[in-house]
């Protein structure tokens, strides 16, 4: 079976993918420590309700329900991960891969926005036509076991601190924003996942 995991409702509106799972989280802020899956989602619900007034029931209905679908993906399926280059998507992608890795039979592919002059890198799939999306899909990259373990390593490092006040990304964000203009002009992103080796190193430092 072919499963598409998408970075938001807007992409699904344009793509109209069958067997789609839509990610509606913002893990770029708030607590990331995972003791158990249920406690993690409860911690996230509490944070979003306290910070943004999002009812816990809405978080369960719109967000957790989509994550739960990942556990029901049939074995040996091809899973296409549609995520942008920005840090917001990168964190969500890390968590999705952490959930997916429980089934080693799955074949994971990363689908990135096209790198064309008319598209600004930090706008992601925005402005992509259906034809553009199909072209992006044709350029998908299969993730090796080494890639997946590297993603998992970054996720685990980020989750070591349980308090959102000590989020490991806080000192990283300012430098990441300073990188934007340079990467905007780059003809290619010199990293397998969209972030440069220097940026990955700063996350792990």
């Amino acid at each position: 079976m072919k499963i598409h995991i998408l970075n938001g409702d807007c992409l699904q509106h344009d793509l109209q993918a069958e067997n789609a799972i839509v990610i509606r989280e913002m893990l770029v802020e708030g607590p990331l420590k995972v003791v158990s899956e249920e406690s993690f989602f409860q911690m996230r619900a509490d944070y979003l309700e306290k910070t943004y007034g999002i009812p816990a029931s809405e978080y369960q209905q719109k967000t957790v329900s989509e994550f739960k679908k990942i556990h029901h993906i049939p074995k040996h399926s091809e899973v296409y991960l549609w995520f942008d280059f920005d840090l917001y998507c990168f964190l969500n992608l890390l968590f999705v891969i952490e959930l997916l890795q429980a089934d080693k039979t799955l074949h994971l592919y990363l689908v990135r926005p096209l790198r064309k002059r008319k598209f600004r890198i930090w706008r992601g799939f925005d402005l992509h036509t259906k034809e553009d999306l199909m072209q992006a899909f044709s350029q998908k990259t299969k993730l090796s076991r080494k890639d997946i373990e590297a993603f998992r390593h970054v996720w685990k490092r980020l989750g070591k601190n349980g308090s959102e006040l000590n989020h490991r990304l806080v000192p990283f964000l300012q430098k990441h924003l300073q990188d934007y203009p340079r990467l905007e002009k780059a003809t290619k992103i010199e990293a397998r996942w969209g972030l440069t080796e220097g940026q990955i190193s700063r996350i792990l430092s």
Side-chain angles (χ1 to χ4, degrees):
M1 180 176 282
K2 301 181 187 298
I3 306 293
H4 299 268
I5 299 183
L6 311 179
N7 68 352
D9 291 284
C10 289
L11 179 55
Q12 174 59 353
H13 178 269
D14 295 333
L15 188 62
Q16 293 295 302
E18 294 184 6
N19 303 318
I21 297 173
V22 180
I23 302 305
R24 305 183 182 107
E25 246 289 10
M26 48 183 297
L27 296 172
V28 73
E29 66 169 87
L32 293 179
K33 188 173 182 179
V34 180
V35 177
S36 69
E37 189 172 303
E38 292 304 319
S39 65
F40 177 76
F41 288 137
Q42 185 59 57
M43 180 175 61
R44 293 295 304 171
D46 293 343
Y47 172 79
L48 293 171
E49 185 167 39
K50 177 182 177 181
T51 308
Y52 295 103
I54 299 172
S57 58
E58 180 179 332
Y59 178 76
Q60 288 289 332
Q61 179 184 2
K62 293 185 177 181
T63 302
V64 177
S65 62
E66 293 295 301
F67 281 126
K68 294 290 188 182
K69 292 178 182 179
I70 290 175
H71 297 308
H72 300 289
I73 295 175
K75 289 184 177 298
H76 305 287
S77 292
E78 295 180 359
V79 183
Y80 303 103
L81 307 167
W82 296 71
F83 286 86
D84 298 343
F85 291 110
D86 61 273
L87 192 63
Y88 185 105
C89 266
F90 185 65
L91 265 291
N92 288 345
L93 174 62
L94 291 180
F95 183 55
V96 167
I97 288 177
E98 183 66 19
L99 294 179
L100 287 166
Q101 65 82 37
D103 184 351
K104 302 297 192 297
T105 72
L106 299 178
H107 305 282
L108 308 186
Y109 297 84
L110 188 56
V111 184
R112 291 297 204 185
L114 296 177
R115 294 289 282 128
K116 292 184 177 180
R117 186 177 298 276
K118 64 178 180 177
F119 300 129
R120 293 177 62 83
I121 183 172
W122 307 121
R123 295 292 294 275
F125 289 108
D126 188 25
L127 301 182
H128 281 51
T129 64
K130 187 64 177 287
E131 182 180 17
D132 293 327
L133 293 174
M134 291 301 96
Q135 184 180 349
F137 181 74
S138 72
Q139 298 175 11
K140 59 188 175 294
T141 301
K142 185 171 185 179
L143 297 180
S144 67
R145 176 50 52 183
K146 183 178 180 180
D147 291 329
I148 293 169
E149 290 306 317
F151 275 118
R152 296 189 66 209
H153 176 66
V154 177
W155 173 255
K156 289 177 180 178
R157 288 292 298 273
L158 290 174
K160 282 186 178 295
N161 234 318
S163 170
E164 63 269 18
L165 298 178
N166 294 315
H167 197 306
R168 289 186 60 85
L169 288 178
V170 171
F172 172 75
L173 284 170
Q174 182 176 4
K175 180 61 178 174
H176 185 69
L177 289 171
Q178 292 171 357
D179 289 339
Y180 278 19
R182 177 174 57 83
L183 294 178
E184 186 77 67
K185 298 175 183 178
T187 57
K188 65 177 181 178
I189 300 300
E190 296 178 353
R192 289 181 67 88
W193 314 321
L195 298 182
T196 66
E197 293 301 321
Q199 289 175 315
I200 294 294
S201 296
R202 288 201 297 273
I203 291 178
L204 297 177
S205 64

